[in-house]
Amino acid sequence: MKRAATLALAALMLLTAGCAFETPRAKVSRASVKQSPRSTPTFGEVYVVTKGDTLYSIAFRNNLDYRQLAEWNGIGSDYRINIGQRLRLTPPGAAVAADVVTQAPQRVTPTQSVQPVLPMLDGAGTWEWPTRGTVARGFDAGGNKGLDIAGELGQIVVASRGGRVVYSGAALKGYGELVIIKHDEQYLSAYGYNRKRLVNEGEEVGPGQPIAELGEGPAQKPLLHFEIRDRGRPLDPRRLLPAR
């Protein structure tokens, strides 16, 4: 009897020791488990056409090539769109990333001198400055998509290169009275903040031809906002314009 009691006590001690060395397990609540946003991508951004829109202006606003935008939406070579029409802004089946990763800006010490090299592009020498004045703000791929040129209110703005006017209006928010010129299958140029537009959509213009009168920018100061797009992508106009 005494031997049986001793064996029982030993077994109890072994059981207690085993529990002491068992690894603790965290309690997982179903409510606390969230699905990663990467596993549920959103497909296809859509834009609804409103009054004053053209295919060119919609593509311009969204940094797209107008030909790709037409292809994605089954639009013919006349590029005709209708009010209320829904246009996808991404290729069919393309996923829109849920997370955007931005790189922290590089710190520049006062002793460093940052002078960006601007290699000239093919076609440089066939462009001219759209108006006289000084560059008040330069191109910044992450911010300013062109050049802001300070001048005098009402001075003439000219076509930087020959082409056809594909947009003349004020429907693009943030650009004021805007003129867009298609130069070829590669380049578009845009002229914003005008006081008055002097050309209409569909007109052919030559290099240096007056197309607008310079107006006021957001700070209520005389300013021209000038952009050049390469297949829908903004580029630094100084890579095509003659040196000043």
Coordinates of all heavy atoms in Angstrom, one line a residue, residues 130-191:
P130 N 7.8 79.0 -75.7 CA 6.5 79.4 -76.0 C 6.2 80.9 -75.6 O 5.2 81.4 -76.1 CB 5.6 78.5 -75.1 CG 6.5 78.1 -73.9 CD 7.9 78.1 -74.5
T131 N 7.0 81.5 -74.8 CA 6.8 82.9 -74.5 C 8.1 83.4 -73.9 O 9.0 82.6 -73.5 CB 5.7 83.1 -73.5 OG1 5.3 84.5 -73.5 CG2 6.0 82.7 -72.1
R132 N 8.3 84.7 -73.8 CA 9.5 85.3 -73.2 C 9.2 85.3 -71.7 O 8.1 85.3 -71.2 CB 9.7 86.7 -73.7 CG 8.7 87.7 -73.3 CD 9.0 89.1 -73.9 NE 8.1 90.1 -73.5 CZ 6.9 90.4 -74.0 NH1 6.5 89.7 -75.1 NH2 6.1 91.3 -73.5
G133 N 10.3 85.4 -70.9 CA 10.2 85.4 -69.5 C 11.2 84.5 -68.8 O 12.1 83.9 -69.5
T134 N 11.2 84.4 -67.5 CA 12.1 83.6 -66.7 C 11.4 82.4 -66.2 O 10.2 82.5 -65.9 CB 12.7 84.4 -65.6 OG1 11.7 84.9 -64.7 CG2 13.5 85.6 -66.1
V135 N 12.1 81.3 -66.0 CA 11.5 80.1 -65.4 C 11.4 80.3 -63.9 O 12.4 80.3 -63.2 CB 12.4 78.9 -65.7 CG1 11.8 77.6 -65.0 CG2 12.4 78.6 -67.2
A136 N 10.1 80.4 -63.5 CA 9.9 80.6 -62.0 C 9.9 79.3 -61.3 O 10.2 79.2 -60.1 CB 8.5 81.3 -61.8
R137 N 9.6 78.2 -62.0 CA 9.6 76.9 -61.3 C 9.9 75.9 -62.4 O 9.3 75.9 -63.5 CB 8.2 76.6 -60.7 CG 8.2 75.3 -59.9 CD 6.8 75.0 -59.4 NE 6.8 73.7 -58.7 CZ 5.6 73.1 -58.3 NH1 4.5 73.6 -58.7 NH2 5.7 71.9 -57.7
G138 N 10.9 75.0 -62.1 CA 11.3 74.0 -63.1 C 10.5 72.7 -63.0 O 9.6 72.5 -62.2
F139 N 10.9 71.8 -63.9 CA 10.3 70.5 -63.9 C 10.7 69.6 -62.7 O 11.8 69.6 -62.3 CB 10.8 69.8 -65.2 CG 10.2 68.4 -65.4 CD1 9.0 68.1 -65.9 CD2 11.0 67.3 -65.1 CE1 8.5 66.8 -66.1 CE2 10.6 66.0 -65.2 CZ 9.3 65.8 -65.7
D140 N 9.7 68.9 -62.2 CA 9.9 68.0 -61.1 C 9.0 66.8 -61.4 O 7.8 66.9 -61.3 CB 9.6 68.6 -59.8 CG 9.7 67.7 -58.6 OD1 10.2 66.5 -58.8 OD2 9.4 68.1 -57.5
A141 N 9.6 65.6 -61.7 CA 8.8 64.5 -62.0 C 7.8 64.1 -61.0 O 6.7 63.6 -61.3 CB 9.7 63.3 -62.3
G142 N 8.1 64.4 -59.7 CA 7.1 64.0 -58.6 C 6.2 65.2 -58.3 O 5.4 65.0 -57.4
G143 N 6.4 66.3 -58.9 CA 5.5 67.5 -58.6 C 5.1 68.3 -59.8 O 4.1 68.0 -60.5
N144 N 5.9 69.2 -60.2 CA 5.6 70.1 -61.4 C 5.9 69.3 -62.7 O 7.0 68.9 -62.9 CB 6.4 71.4 -61.3 CG 5.9 72.4 -62.3 OD1 4.7 72.4 -62.7 ND2 6.7 73.3 -62.7
K145 N 4.9 69.1 -63.5 CA 5.1 68.3 -64.7 C 5.6 69.1 -65.9 O 5.6 68.6 -67.0 CB 3.7 67.6 -65.1 CG 3.3 66.7 -64.0 CD 1.9 66.1 -64.3 CE 1.4 65.2 -63.2 NZ 0.1 64.6 -63.5
G146 N 6.0 70.4 -65.7 CA 6.5 71.2 -66.8 C 7.3 72.3 -66.3 O 7.9 72.2 -65.3
L147 N 7.2 73.5 -67.0 CA 7.9 74.7 -66.6 C 6.8 75.8 -66.3 O 5.9 75.9 -67.1 CB 8.8 75.2 -67.7 CG 9.9 74.2 -68.1 CD1 10.7 74.8 -69.3 CD2 10.9 73.8 -67.0
D148 N 7.0 76.5 -65.3 CA 6.2 77.7 -65.0 C 7.1 78.9 -65.4 O 8.1 79.2 -64.8 CB 5.8 77.8 -63.6 CG 4.8 76.7 -63.2 OD1 4.2 76.2 -64.1 OD2 4.6 76.5 -62.0
I149 N 6.6 79.7 -66.4 CA 7.4 80.8 -67.0 C 6.7 82.1 -66.6 O 5.5 82.3 -67.0 CB 7.5 80.7 -68.5 CG1 8.1 79.3 -68.9 CG2 8.3 81.8 -69.1 CD1 8.1 79.0 -70.4
A150 N 7.4 82.9 -65.9 CA 6.9 84.2 -65.4 C 7.1 85.3 -66.5 O 8.1 85.3 -67.2 CB 7.6 84.7 -64.2
G151 N 6.0 86.0 -66.8 CA 6.1 87.1 -67.8 C 5.2 88.2 -67.5 O 5.0 88.5 -66.3
E152 N 4.6 88.8 -68.5 CA 3.7 90.0 -68.3 C 2.3 89.6 -68.7 O 2.1 88.9 -69.7 CB 4.1 91.2 -69.1 CG 5.5 91.7 -68.7 CD 5.9 92.9 -69.5 OE1 5.1 93.3 -70.3 OE2 7.1 93.4 -69.3
L153 N 1.3 90.0 -67.9 CA -0.1 89.7 -68.2 C -0.5 90.1 -69.7 O -0.2 91.3 -70.1 CB -1.0 90.4 -67.2 CG -2.5 90.0 -67.3 CD1 -2.7 88.6 -66.9 CD2 -3.3 90.9 -66.3
G154 N -1.0 89.2 -70.4 CA -1.5 89.5 -71.8 C -0.4 89.3 -72.9 O -0.8 89.4 -74.0
Q155 N 0.8 89.0 -72.5 CA 1.8 88.8 -73.5 C 1.5 87.6 -74.3 O 0.8 86.7 -73.9 CB 3.2 88.8 -73.0 CG 3.6 87.5 -72.3 CD 5.0 87.6 -71.7 OE1 5.4 88.6 -71.1 NE2 5.7 86.5 -71.7
I156 N 2.0 87.5 -75.6 CA 1.6 86.5 -76.5 C 2.3 85.1 -76.1 O 3.5 85.1 -75.8 CB 2.0 86.9 -77.9 CG1 1.1 88.0 -78.4 CG2 1.8 85.7 -78.9 CD1 -0.4 87.7 -78.4
V157 N 1.5 84.1 -76.2 CA 2.0 82.7 -76.1 C 1.9 82.1 -77.5 O 0.9 82.2 -78.1 CB 1.2 81.9 -75.1 CG1 1.6 80.4 -75.0 CG2 1.2 82.5 -73.7
V158 N 3.0 81.4 -77.9 CA 3.1 80.9 -79.2 C 3.2 79.4 -79.2 O 3.6 78.8 -78.2 CB 4.3 81.5 -80.0 CG1 4.1 83.0 -80.1 CG2 5.6 81.1 -79.5
A159 N 2.9 78.7 -80.3 CA 3.1 77.3 -80.4 C 4.6 77.0 -80.4 O 5.4 77.6 -81.2 CB 2.5 76.7 -81.7
S160 N 5.1 76.1 -79.5 CA 6.5 75.8 -79.4 C 7.0 75.0 -80.6 O 8.2 75.0 -80.9 CB 6.7 75.0 -78.2 OG 8.1 74.7 -78.0
R161 N 6.0 74.4 -81.4 CA 6.3 73.6 -82.6 C 5.0 73.5 -83.4 O 4.0 73.6 -82.8 CB 6.9 72.2 -82.2 CG 7.5 71.4 -83.3 CD 7.9 70.1 -82.7 NE 8.5 69.2 -83.7 CZ 8.7 67.9 -83.6 NH1 8.4 67.3 -82.4 NH2 9.3 67.2 -84.5
G162 N 5.1 73.3 -84.6 CA 3.9 73.2 -85.5 C 3.1 71.9 -85.1 O 3.7 70.9 -84.7
G163 N 1.8 72.0 -85.4 CA 1.0 70.8 -85.1 C -0.5 71.1 -85.2 O -0.9 72.1 -85.8
R164 N -1.3 70.3 -84.6 CA -2.8 70.5 -84.6 C -3.3 70.6 -83.2 O -2.9 69.9 -82.3 CB -3.4 69.3 -85.3 CG -5.0 69.4 -85.4 CD -5.5 68.3 -86.3 NE -5.2 67.0 -85.9 CZ -6.0 66.3 -85.0 NH1 -7.2 66.8 -84.6 NH2 -5.7 65.1 -84.7
V165 N -4.2 71.6 -83.0 CA -4.8 71.8 -81.7 C -5.8 70.7 -81.5 O -6.8 70.6 -82.2 CB -5.5 73.2 -81.7 CG1 -6.2 73.4 -80.3 CG2 -4.5 74.3 -82.0
V166 N -5.6 70.0 -80.4 CA -6.5 68.9 -80.1 C -7.3 69.2 -78.8 O -8.2 68.4 -78.5 CB -5.7 67.5 -79.9 CG1 -5.1 67.1 -81.2 CG2 -4.6 67.7 -78.8
Y167 N -7.0 70.3 -78.1 CA -7.8 70.7 -77.0 C -7.7 72.2 -76.8 O -6.6 72.7 -76.9 CB -7.4 70.0 -75.7 CG -8.3 70.4 -74.6 CD1 -9.6 69.8 -74.4 CD2 -7.9 71.4 -73.6 CE1 -10.4 70.2 -73.3 CE2 -8.7 71.7 -72.6 CZ -9.9 71.2 -72.4 OH -10.8 71.6 -71.4
S168 N -8.8 72.8 -76.6 CA -8.8 74.3 -76.4 C -10.0 74.5 -75.5 O -11.2 74.5 -75.9 CB -8.9 75.1 -77.6 OG -9.0 76.5 -77.4
G169 N -9.8 74.7 -74.2 CA -10.9 74.8 -73.2 C -10.4 75.0 -71.8 O -9.2 75.3 -71.6
A170 N -11.3 74.9 -70.9 CA -11.0 75.1 -69.4 C -11.6 74.0 -68.5 O -11.9 74.3 -67.4 CB -11.5 76.5 -69.0
A171 N -11.7 72.8 -69.1 CA -12.3 71.7 -68.3 C -11.4 71.0 -67.4 O -11.8 70.3 -66.5 CB -13.0 70.8 -69.3
L172 N -10.1 71.2 -67.6 CA -9.1 70.4 -66.8 C -8.7 71.3 -65.6 O -8.1 72.3 -65.7 CB -7.8 70.2 -67.6 CG -7.8 68.8 -68.4 CD1 -8.7 68.9 -69.6 CD2 -6.4 68.5 -68.8
K173 N -9.2 70.8 -64.4 CA -9.0 71.5 -63.2 C -7.5 71.7 -62.9 O -6.7 70.8 -63.0 CB -9.6 70.7 -62.0 CG -9.6 71.4 -60.7 CD -10.3 70.6 -59.6 CE -10.3 71.3 -58.3 NZ -10.9 70.5 -57.2
G174 N -7.1 72.9 -62.6 CA -5.8 73.3 -62.2 C -5.0 73.8 -63.3 O -3.8 74.3 -63.1
Y175 N -5.5 73.9 -64.6 CA -4.8 74.4 -65.7 C -5.4 75.7 -66.3 O -4.8 76.3 -67.1 CB -4.8 73.3 -66.8 CG -3.8 72.2 -66.6 CD1 -4.3 71.0 -66.0 CD2 -2.5 72.3 -67.0 CE1 -3.4 70.0 -65.7 CE2 -1.6 71.2 -66.8 CZ -2.1 70.1 -66.2 OH -1.2 69.0 -65.9
G176 N -6.5 76.1 -65.8 CA -7.2 77.3 -66.3 C -7.5 77.1 -67.8 O -7.9 76.1 -68.3
E177 N -7.4 78.3 -68.5 CA -7.6 78.2 -70.0 C -6.4 77.5 -70.6 O -5.3 78.0 -70.5 CB -7.7 79.6 -70.5 CG -8.9 80.4 -70.0 CD -10.3 79.9 -70.4 OE1 -10.3 79.2 -71.5 OE2 -11.3 80.2 -69.8
L178 N -6.7 76.4 -71.2 CA -5.6 75.4 -71.7 C -5.7 75.2 -73.1 O -6.8 75.0 -73.7 CB -5.7 74.1 -70.9 CG -4.8 73.0 -71.2 CD1 -3.4 73.3 -70.9 CD2 -5.2 71.7 -70.6
V179 N -4.5 75.1 -73.8 CA -4.4 74.7 -75.2 C -3.4 73.5 -75.2 O -2.4 73.5 -74.6 CB -3.9 75.8 -76.1 CG1 -3.6 75.3 -77.5 CG2 -4.8 77.0 -76.1
I180 N -3.9 72.4 -75.9 CA -3.0 71.3 -76.1 C -2.8 71.1 -77.6 O -3.8 71.1 -78.4 CB -3.6 70.0 -75.5 CG1 -3.8 70.2 -74.0 CG2 -2.7 68.8 -75.8 CD1 -4.5 68.9 -73.4
I181 N -1.5 70.9 -78.0 CA -1.2 70.8 -79.5 C -0.6 69.4 -79.7 O 0.4 69.0 -78.9 CB -0.2 71.9 -79.9 CG1 -0.9 73.2 -79.8 CG2 0.2 71.6 -81.4 CD1 0.0 74.4 -80.2
K182 N -1.0 68.7 -80.7 CA -0.4 67.4 -81.1 C 0.5 67.7 -82.2 O 0.2 68.2 -83.2 CB -1.5 66.4 -81.5 CG -1.0 65.1 -82.1 CD -2.1 64.3 -82.7 CE -1.5 63.0 -83.3 NZ -2.5 62.2 -84.0
H183 N 1.8 67.3 -82.0 CA 2.8 67.6 -83.0 C 3.1 66.5 -83.9 O 3.4 66.7 -85.1 CB 4.1 68.0 -82.3 CG 3.9 69.2 -81.3 ND1 3.8 70.5 -81.8 CD2 3.9 69.3 -80.0 CE1 3.6 71.3 -80.8 NE2 3.7 70.6 -79.7
D184 N 3.1 65.3 -83.4 CA 3.2 64.1 -84.2 C 2.7 62.9 -83.3 O 2.0 63.1 -82.3 CB 4.7 63.9 -84.6 CG 5.7 64.0 -83.4 OD1 5.3 63.6 -82.3 OD2 6.8 64.6 -83.6
E185 N 3.1 61.7 -83.7 CA 2.6 60.5 -83.0 C 3.3 60.3 -81.6 O 3.0 59.4 -80.9 CB 2.8 59.2 -83.8 CG 1.9 59.2 -85.1 CD 0.4 59.4 -84.7 OE1 -0.1 58.6 -83.9 OE2 -0.2 60.3 -85.3
Q186 N 4.3 61.2 -81.4 CA 5.1 61.1 -80.1 C 4.8 62.2 -79.1 O 4.6 61.9 -78.0 CB 6.6 61.0 -80.4 CG 7.5 60.9 -79.2 CD 8.9 60.7 -79.6 OE1 9.3 60.8 -80.7 NE2 9.8 60.6 -78.6
Y187 N 4.8 63.4 -79.6 CA 4.8 64.6 -78.7 C 3.4 65.3 -78.7 O 2.8 65.6 -79.8 CB 5.9 65.5 -79.1 CG 7.3 65.0 -78.8 CD1 8.2 64.8 -79.9 CD2 7.7 64.7 -77.5 CE1 9.5 64.3 -79.6 CE2 9.0 64.2 -77.3 CZ 9.9 64.0 -78.3 OH 11.1 63.6 -78.1
L188 N 3.1 65.8 -77.5 CA 2.0 66.8 -77.3 C 2.7 67.9 -76.5 O 3.6 67.7 -75.7 CB 0.9 66.2 -76.5 CG 0.0 65.1 -77.1 CD1 -1.0 64.6 -76.0 CD2 -0.8 65.6 -78.3
S189 N 2.2 69.1 -76.6 CA 2.6 70.2 -75.8 C 1.3 70.9 -75.2 O 0.3 70.9 -75.9 CB 3.5 71.2 -76.5 OG 2.8 71.9 -77.6
A190 N 1.5 71.4 -74.0 CA 0.3 72.0 -73.3 C 0.7 73.4 -72.8 O 1.8 73.6 -72.3 CB -0.2 71.1 -72.2
Y191 N -0.3 74.3 -72.8 CA -0.1 75.7 -72.5 C -1.2 76.1 -71.5 O -2.4 76.3 -72.0 CB 0.0 76.6 -73.7 CG 0.9 76.1 -74.8 CD1 0.4 75.0 -75.6 CD2 2.1 76.7 -75.1 CE1 1.3 74.5 -76.6 CE2 2.9 76.2 -76.1 CZ 2.5 75.1 -76.8 OH 3.3 74.6 -77.8

